[in-house]
Amino acid sequence: MSHHQRMSWWPFADERSFWEWAWDPFAELMDQDEDVLLEDVVGFPLLIAAADIGECPKQQLCRVVLENLAGRVAWRRRPGELDALRAAAGLAHGKRHPYVREWAVYARRLLRYCEVAGPVNRAGAQQMAADMFAGPVTQWGRQGTDWLTVAVSGGGRLWDCASRDESSHLFINRRTGAWRVRHPTLMTDADRASL
C-alpha cells in the first residue's frame, strides 16, 4: 500500500452483509455517526444500488452518504478517489430512480470542478459553492440562495463563497477556475498564491 492510500473503513465484509443491514429498518452499525462509517469510495456501487430502490429502508441514508462522500472526494482531489467517483457516476447514470440519475449529474459537475476550467462568473461560483457545500437533495430543500454568499476578495482575483452551515469557505480564482476550500483564518499567502 502506498503512502497515498489509506485503509478502507467500509464496515461490511461482503455484499450480503451490506444487504442484510440495508433491508433491516432497525439495524444500526453503531449508535451515532453511522453515515460517517459508510463514507468510503469502495461502497459506491452498493450505496448507489440501495439508493435506487424506493422500498429499501436505508435508501435515504444511502442518498445522504452519496452526497457527502462525493463532496469530500472533490474537496480532497485524490486521484484514486476521483477515479472511483467517475466510475460511480457512470454506474448511477443508468439507474432508474430520478434521484440517482441526478446524483450522477451532480458527481460529474464535481469532477469537472477538479479540472482547472477557465473563467468563473458569479453564477458559476454560486453553482460551484452550492455543489461543494450541499448536494442535490439539500439544494432542492432550500428556498432561494440566502444560505450562500458569494463575494469578491483577494484584490478582485477571487470569489469567496460561504455557506451559513459551514465554517470553511470556497475560494475560486475568477480567471482560471482554480479553487481551494479553507477556513478563512487558515488561508495562507501560499494558498492565495496557488490560486
Side-chain angles (χ1 to χ4, degrees):
M1 175 179 284
S2 78
H3 67 280
H4 293 294
Q5 297 174 318
R6 64 168 175 76
M7 292 296 291
S8 172
W9 59 53
W10 182 247
F12 302 102
D14 54 30
E15 190 171 335
R16 190 183 67 122
S17 59
F18 171 84
W19 287 113
E20 285 174 358
W21 165 83
W23 283 107
D24 181 348
F26 304 108
E28 293 183 2
L29 298 173
M30 59 187 300
D31 292 338
Q32 58 187 0
D33 298 329
E34 187 170 47
D35 55 328
V36 175
L37 280 178
L38 297 170
E39 285 187 20
D40 192 309
V41 296
V42 304
F44 269 138
L46 290 171
L47 292 167
I48 289 167
D52 196 43
I53 302 171
E55 305 78 32
C56 180
K58 300 294 194 320
Q59 181 193 44
Q60 189 58 38
L61 175 61
C62 289
R63 288 179 180 185
V64 169
V65 172
L66 281 170
E67 289 187 20
N68 290 342
L69 180 55
R72 290 193 202 327
V73 165
W75 283 26
R76 291 189 293 251
R77 290 184 266 193
R78 295 176 184 150
E81 289 185 344
L82 291 171
D83 289 344
L85 181 59
R86 196 169 289 108
L91 178 66
H93 180 74
K95 295 296 184 184
R96 72 174 186 270
H97 198 286
Y99 166 79
V100 178
R101 291 195 307 270
E102 175 63 25
W103 180 85
V105 172
Y106 163 69
R108 286 182 172 147
R109 278 197 313 267
L110 291 174
L111 288 163
R112 278 196 308 274
Y113 302 149
C114 292
E115 303 163 3
V116 175
V120 177
N121 63 18
R122 181 178 291 276
Q126 191 167 36
Q127 178 66 60
M128 197 169 165
D131 286 337
M132 290 291 185
F133 292 132
V137 166
T138 310
Q139 289 179 48
W140 294 335
R142 289 174 162 160
Q143 298 300 314
T145 55
D146 62 339
W147 61 278
L148 186 63
T149 61
V150 178
V152 176
S153 72
R157 285 181 57 244
L158 306 175
W159 292 115
D160 177 355
C161 309
S163 161
R164 69 170 178 235
D165 301 326
E166 296 280 340
S167 60
S168 294
H169 288 215
L170 171 65
F171 295 94
I172 308 166
N173 184 304
R174 296 173 67 191
R175 186 176 52 81
T176 68
W179 58 272
R180 186 173 303 275
V181 176
R182 282 276 191 281
H183 189 282
T185 61
L186 300 178
M187 265 301 264
T188 65
D189 290 341
D191 288 334
R192 286 187 180 82
S194 73
L195 293 176

